[in-house]
Amino acid sequence: MDQNEEITQQQTPKEENESIKDEFDEEKRESSEAETDDSEEEDEETTEEESIEEDEPKLKYKRLEADVSELLKKDAASALSVSERFVALGTHNGDVLVLDFDGNLNKHLSSHAASVTDIAIEVSGEYIASASLDGKVIIYSLFDDTKPQIFNYRRPLKCISLDPDFHKKDTQRFVCGGMSGVLNLNEKALVTPVGWFGQKQDTILQHSGEGPISAVRWKGPLIAYANDEGVKIYNTQIQQRITYIKRPPDSPRADLYRCNLTWHNETTLLVGWANFIQTAVVKEYAKHEIQPGRPTQYVEVSTFRTEFIVCGIAPFNDMTLVLAYLTDEIVQDTETEDLFQHRRPRAKRPELRIINSFNEEISTDALSLHGFQYYQANDYELDYFPSEDMFYVVSPKDLVLAKPRDLDDHISWLLERSRYEEALSSLQEAQAWGGSKIYNLTDLGERYLNYLIEEEEFTKAAENCERILKDNRELWEKWVFIFANLRQLQAITQYIPYVKPQLSSTVYEMVFAHFLNHDHKALLFTITSWPPSIYNVQSVILLVEDIFEKEQDNQTLMECLAELYAYSGQPDKALEYSLRLRRPNVFELIREHSLFSAIEDKVLLLMEFDQHLFKEVKKAEEAEIAKLSQDPSKPQIRIKRKKATDMQAVQLLVDNTEHISVSHVVRQLEKEPYFLHIYLDALFIKDHHAGYEFHDRQIELYAEYDYNRLIEFLRSSNYYTLEHAYKICEQRDLVPEMVFLLGRMGNNKEALMLIIRRMNDVQRAIDFAKEQDDEILWEDLLTYSLDKPKFIIGLLENLGGANIDPINLITRIPNGKEIPGLKNALIKVLQDFNLQASLREGCQKILVSDSVSMANQLQKAQKRGISGDNLSCSICTNPITKDVVTDSVSTVIIFFCRHAFHETCLITDGVLPNPPESSGRSLVGSKVRHTTLLKSLSKPPTCPICNDPEHTHDKQKEKKTGANKTPIRGFVRGQNHGGPREDDGMPPMVPLRL
């Protein structure tokens, strides 16, 4: 077995029974025979383990070979201690071996005459002490030539522990105990007042009478030791024992199984004794609880039972690591004399178990040690190196190192069991904090891919390529070719990258060639998925065309060619295949690339494709209507149905008549009248004048395919021949249309007779007469209706719009003619007459009221005055208040347009009436007379500014004065001039004497 050999085996529920008849013969067997039996046992257990899911161990193990292996072949280990610098091993020959952590011998110390029972190493690693069955304690100084200190207690010793400050203090204290049952504290004592130290002296901490001292451990000021009665803790500072932990009452005899003590920290002690584990936590009393002469500390103890014997105990993070000893279960027959029935139970492999605080086993590893079946629990020992989490297990012939498994160990364990996916995931997660020291992510990923391919899991391998190969172009190309050689390109194609990284065009074209020969649908999907810039499109087109020549009806290949031609900038060729395939995007293709010249001879193909799409739309509409009608509780939504004229091909032709002429389309659709009707109908909807030369043809098409819209077309169009249209309608006996056409041709009487005789529809006849507005036609209708009660009633009910005298109609009704409903009709006529009379009377009243109101408004407007502040003549621009020449008051004329003038400036022909008086009661009367005289002139004065369209007076004034005209503010007596005006703002024309 080499140095790194794994020595663990998972615990199994089955343990085989060897055919051993004599216990004494079994103990005398050679070790080689024992190892042979061991291997046979392992084989049987492995078979059982195959059916059990294997859990990963928490620790990794290494049997230390080197020098220690050779040394233990000649001797047997009996004690173990581990420090931060080295490992010390005691043997049954009384030797102390100082080893490095790999088992190489550094020093060989031999001073004892019997087995070494315990070893203690000082914290700094400078001193090492050993206790032996020869009753001696020997303290070695490792780094100087000082002779070992030997202390002989003349009774077999079981344990020893050094003061943690042994190297610092001159007292150099240690504590030891053994078969005498006495616990001795040894230290140097002062003998002179000048500070020199004298001889060593012992202080007895525990007197005899409670059995041998089997274990002792010193941590800080606390010393924990065990005898047959239990575990006690002594505080060296206060020199008092602070607690006594009794041995569990139902535990095995104390002399059969050694007590194992380990300090977890300064205040926590782990105790493993037989099949019990105890945890003791030292705590301080509160100040008010401390009693004089009593310890200031107390201990809380928790205990739980195990199913095994504890051979060693150590802390492991927040859990506990236990070295477990187990034996076979033998059902003994006490009445038989067969020695086989009285043999000692055979030991199983020792186990390292990790137990949490709830006494739950987290991990269990069985150790394969040489001769384990012959050893007892006290033959094993466990010690650890806290800062590195290194645990050492010693048996008489083996020294094993146990360490927590790291990332590399975890990955190795997974790889050994072909759990590559878990290993890869663990390694990827570990990249955030440094990754692995051994494994490379890419290399491990490729190992995983190779494993999947060996297992023929090609799809899974392809799925993992993206996260393993990432953006490594060379690796991608390598693995694509691997899949190609395995004929599994279809598995990896969807994962092949085309950006970051972009591979060689050869790779992509190789994929196309593979699908072209094996899977055309995959070829189409790949062409539409990959951008055309990553491969040579023309090369792929040539490959596809070679195959398409042999399979002309292969629609998938046609789709491939349509896509490839579109990519290569040849939309006209792509259009041909798109039309044959009836692809919905063909219309966008035509508009985007203006391919009207390419489709001008493919109109029929376009219309057929359009009808195919229209049928699918109709099916979808019917399905939606049926779905909505299934639940009557829901509100019914009105679905707008699509028409054939709304489809894309029709609209494309209609919107682009400048590229594809109407006549060219009609020639191609002549043999398909339904398609021709759809096209011409859409054209007519868009523009009534477009395609006018085909309106005669449209009449026949409407009559055949859309009769409901024929009358609308006849009313809207002026480009068809009336005689031709009438002939078509007459052939098909389309009476309403014939009536309309006869009316347009002027044959009103014949049209009326057609309505009366063929349609027998009085309302239509009346509407027709109203439309023509012909008195002769009304007379014909009246004459024809006299012997038809239905028509008489109809005329009476429509007198409001009919050009018929109701008295004439009533008087011409033959006497004795029985007319059903005549009474009600006459009553309605009278009611209508009364209603008309009431309306006329009401309208007259409204008219009179409005006239009076407007007259009053006019009167108020003419009676109001005008404010003339800062008012100037619009001709001479001088103030109108005085005549600047004579310095006298002048007569002013102001028009309703608010322009003001001096009378002398306005009337320049020299004929002026006498001015009005300037004072007295006759002032108003004189103004009225003066105004009357002005209006009586042959040419009454008018505003020259308002009657001049070019406003030359205003322009001259503005040019002269440089100021805009000031508006005149009017007012009405008794009202605020800023309020609403009742004359629409018209000022009166009143001459003023100012």
Side-chain angles (χ1 to χ4, degrees), residues 49-89:
E49 286 174 353
E50 292 177 356
S51 61
I52 302 176
E53 183 179 357
E54 190 175 8
D55 294 328
E56 181 181 2
K58 300 294 182 183
L59 301 172
K60 61 179 179 179
Y61 302 86
K62 182 175 74 170
R63 190 193 309 274
L64 299 186
E65 300 290 343
D67 296 335
V68 69
S69 176
E70 294 298 324
L71 292 170
L72 293 181
K73 287 181 180 179
K74 302 175 183 178
D75 201 348
S78 59
L80 172 70
S81 184
V82 180
S83 72
E84 294 186 358
R85 294 188 177 186
F86 53 85
V87 177
L89 194 65

Side-chain angles (χ1 to χ4, degrees), residues 614 617-618 620-622 624-625 628 637-643 646:
F614 181 64
V617 170
K618 297 297 289 183
E621 289 177 352
E622 295 297 335
E624 185 66 20
I625 293 173
L628 292 175
I637 301 175
R638 187 174 181 179
I639 298 177
K640 185 178 179 181
R641 292 178 175 270
K642 203 164 188 177
K643 301 178 181 178
D646 298 331

Side-chain angles (χ1 to χ4, degrees), residues 338 352 358 368 370 603 677 716 735 937 957 976:
D338 188 358
L352 273 180
F358 301 102
S368 294
H370 295 105
V603 174
H677 162 68
S716 303
V735 177
L937 295 175
K957 176 184 175 183
N976 186 349

